Amino acid sequence: MNDLNLHWQPWSKVAACMGTLLHPPHRLLFIANPGNAGDALIASATWQFFEDLGMRPTQARIRDIRRGDTVIYGGGGNLIPLYQDARSAMETSLKVGVNRFVLLPHTIRGHQELLSSLDARFTLFGRDEATLQHLATHASAAQWDMAPDMALGIDVGRLQHRVAMLPWRWTWGWTGLRRSRRARYQGWKSLSDLILPDTRGHLAVFRSDQEATHQRGPIEQDLSGLYHSDLRDRDECDAVATWFLHIIARAFSVSTDRLHVAIGANALHRPACLFDNNYGKNHAVMRAFPSLAPHVSLCFPAFNTA
């Protein structure tokens, strides 16, 4: 494995864990956390991380997990009662008998019975203090530690360069892929292109889903939530992440309760006012590693879309 460069030093614990996975007895699989455009940004940063470590895991789905596999599951906020994807990956891994399972930096709430069933083959990285306290209480037999959200390490210039080198089908229509996926991507680009900063150059993006605090924002302005995919292909993740950042880059400043809109703004050196979501995820993640997000301010009280 290549030496960890200075850029990834805050993720040194994750890199050390990756170093133990280099020669698995069977396959080394990476399952990206499915979700929205913000999740694509996480996945893109994760692929950069793998590349810098000299790792080449196979892109996979939960149903691909077999006995003896070593599974890396992408970071995000999926292991909470609202969602089941990360839980399903872990339950499948337990059932079939994997060699190792690594959960990249996640917010974890609930799922106590599952956590208590995990053993030392499972390594879980939390991205906030509340997650670590939860793991200490309920996942005593597993291995766990804290690390920043992977998207905080995104190299924007490198991402843009890679997308510029992709075959034209990825940036203009994904010719040759499933018609539904191509239509979804093109539709999201068209809709999100209408999300514009106001006359002062300020962009407001607020959640339109179940994690919204109080009043939900309008779906047509929810840059992250307008897109959804299983994110199984790196090229897809990179194309989506690049357009996601393109929309944010048109603003001089941002206010949002979408964690990865704020992280994207930070990567672009745009000041972002980040409101919390309905269970405290946003502020918890930012409080854990404030030095990695110098352009993000925590804002109170909850936003008002009126």
Side-chain angles (χ1 to χ4, degrees):
M1 185 171 67
N2 297 334
D3 291 336
L4 188 69
N5 63 46
L6 186 61
H7 176 77
W8 292 111
Q9 280 300 320
W11 290 266
S12 59
K13 293 177 181 178
V14 182
C17 177
M18 295 295 103
T20 68
L21 308 181
L22 286 182
H23 304 290
H26 193 30
R27 301 178 300 173
L28 177 61
L29 306 181
F30 172 58
I31 301 173
N33 184 49
N36 56 47
D39 293 296
L41 188 70
I42 299 174
S44 290
T46 303
W47 280 110
Q48 290 182 353
F49 183 68
F50 289 154
E51 196 170 63
D52 286 347
L53 293 177
M55 297 183 69
R56 295 177 178 82
T58 299
Q59 298 172 129
R61 295 165 290 190
I62 294 171
R63 67 178 185 230
D64 297 324
I65 300 172
R66 299 288 182 268
R67 182 176 181 83
D69 285 342
T70 294
V71 179
I72 304 171
Y73 189 91
N78 195 280
L79 197 56
I80 65 169
L82 288 173
Y83 310 116
Q84 296 299 317
D85 304 280
R87 178 188 181 96
S88 177
M90 296 167 80
E91 287 177 335
T92 299
S93 296
L94 280 167
K95 181 178 179 180
V96 305
V98 298
N99 175 56
R100 290 282 304 279
F101 184 100
V102 178
L103 182 74
L104 293 179
H106 242 79
T107 297
I108 303 173
R109 304 287 189 272
H111 297 295
Q112 292 91 333
E113 185 177 351
L114 170 65
L115 294 174
S116 66
S117 71
L118 303 180
D119 54 41
R121 293 172 297 162
F122 289 78
T123 301
L124 314 179
F125 287 98
R127 56 183 183 173
D128 62 275
E129 291 287 354
T131 291
L132 248 64
Q133 293 172 13
H134 193 64
L135 292 174
T137 302
H138 301 290
S140 58
Q143 303 179 65
W144 44 265
D145 215 322
M146 191 156 75
D149 185 291
M150 297 303 298
L152 286 165
I154 191 75
D155 183 328
V156 175
R158 179 174 165 187
L159 172 67
Q160 293 170 337
H161 176 75
R162 186 175 187 277
V163 169
M165 296 296 104
L166 290 177
W168 66 270
R169 68 180 186 271
W170 291 102
T171 50
W172 293 106
W174 293 357
T175 301
L177 295 186
R178 293 198 307 270
R179 186 186 301 271
S180 61
R181 187 179 294 262
R182 184 168 71 247
R184 180 193 310 140
Y185 174 69
Q186 291 288 64
W188 173 69
K189 285 188 72 175
S190 297
L191 288 171
S192 60
D193 200 27
L194 302 175
I195 300 175
L196 299 168
D198 63 20
T199 56
R200 300 169 297 155
H202 184 76
L203 179 66
V205 176
F206 289 100
R207 305 191 73 109
S208 59
D209 65 2
Q210 64 268 36
E211 288 188 44
T213 301
H214 304 310
Q215 186 176 349
R216 297 181 182 185
I219 181 61
E220 63 271 17
Q221 290 292 120
D222 189 354
L223 175 62
S224 299
L226 285 172
Y227 191 81
H228 193 277
S229 170
D230 54 16
L231 303 173
R232 282 195 293 116
D233 192 288
R234 181 183 180 179
D235 291 346
E236 175 193 357
C237 294
D238 285 356
V240 171
T242 298
W243 184 258
F244 179 77
L245 293 172
H246 165 73
I247 299 299
I248 298 170
R250 298 192 292 196
F252 294 128
S253 61
V254 173
S255 60
T256 186
D257 63 351
R258 281 285 187 186
L259 176 61
H260 289 91
V261 170
I263 288 176
N266 181 73
L268 295 164
H269 305 286
R270 305 295 199 270
C273 175
L274 178 63
F275 295 91
D276 221 343
N277 75 326
N278 66 357
Y279 67 91
K281 171 186 74 178
N282 297 350
H283 286 189
V285 171
M286 284 298 146
R287 286 193 179 108
F289 299 95
S291 65
L292 297 179
H295 304 287
V296 178
S297 301
L298 304 186
C299 293
F300 306 88
F303 75 94
N304 183 355
T305 60

